[in-house]
Amino acid sequence: MTLLFPNASRSFDEKRNAIRFIGHDGMFEVRFFVEAGALMRADAELDRSEISESKLLSAFDALRPSIYDVARKAYSSGRHDSYTLTAADFR
């Protein structure tokens, strides 16, 4: 099966300081988290001194295609039910 992202919803997880989103492999749901630090590194427009939930969500939206590519790559290297994507994953 192929990992798909049919639901564009995402949310900020304060405890993890990350954006949470969901992928689907057939009927299986796969949780992903993108650390705030990864978004800050990937989005040059994101000002570190004024980090907010809304800015992180906007950065996620702007980077969505590349985030999905990184998520697919992580998923293909070993299937789990949850993944945390870090700045190292976006190099």
Side-chain angles (χ1 to χ4, degrees), residues 1-6 23-30 75 79:
M1 287 264 164
T2 302
L3 185 64
L4 301 173
F5 303 94
H24 293 273
D25 183 354
M27 61 188 243
F28 297 103
E29 186 175 276
V30 184
Y75 184 71
R79 295 185 176 179

Side-chain angles (χ1 to χ4, degrees), residues 3-41:
L3 185 64
L4 301 173
F5 303 94
N7 185 346
S9 68
R10 75 287 184 269
S11 61
F12 180 69
D13 186 314
E14 190 172 347
K15 182 178 177 183
R16 291 180 184 249
N17 194 31
I19 302 298
R20 180 182 194 269
F21 65 103
I22 303 294
H24 293 273
D25 183 354
M27 61 188 243
F28 297 103
E29 186 175 276
V30 184
R31 293 169 298 172
F32 289 91
F33 299 90
V34 181
E35 291 182 342
L39 291 171
M40 290 186 293
R41 280 193 109 160

Side-chain angles (χ1 to χ4, degrees), residues 4 18 20 31 39 43 45 61 63 65-68 74 80 84:
L4 301 173
R20 180 182 194 269
R31 293 169 298 172
L39 291 171
D43 186 347
E45 299 293 316
D61 292 339
L63 298 166
S66 63
I67 291 170
Y68 286 173
H80 307 283
T84 299

Side-chain angles (χ1 to χ4, degrees), residues 28-84:
F28 297 103
E29 186 175 276
V30 184
R31 293 169 298 172
F32 289 91
F33 299 90
V34 181
E35 291 182 342
L39 291 171
M40 290 186 293
R41 280 193 109 160
D43 186 347
E45 299 293 316
L46 197 56
D47 180 10
R48 291 178 187 245
S49 64
E50 298 180 29
I51 299 301
S52 68
E53 178 179 337
S54 63
K55 285 187 178 186
L56 290 170
L57 291 169
S58 292
F60 179 93
D61 292 339
L63 298 166
R64 190 180 295 264
S66 63
I67 291 170
Y68 286 173
D69 288 343
V70 170
R72 284 186 189 99
K73 184 177 177 182
Y75 184 71
S76 70
S77 67
R79 295 185 176 179
H80 307 283
D81 29 332
S82 178
Y83 296 84
T84 299

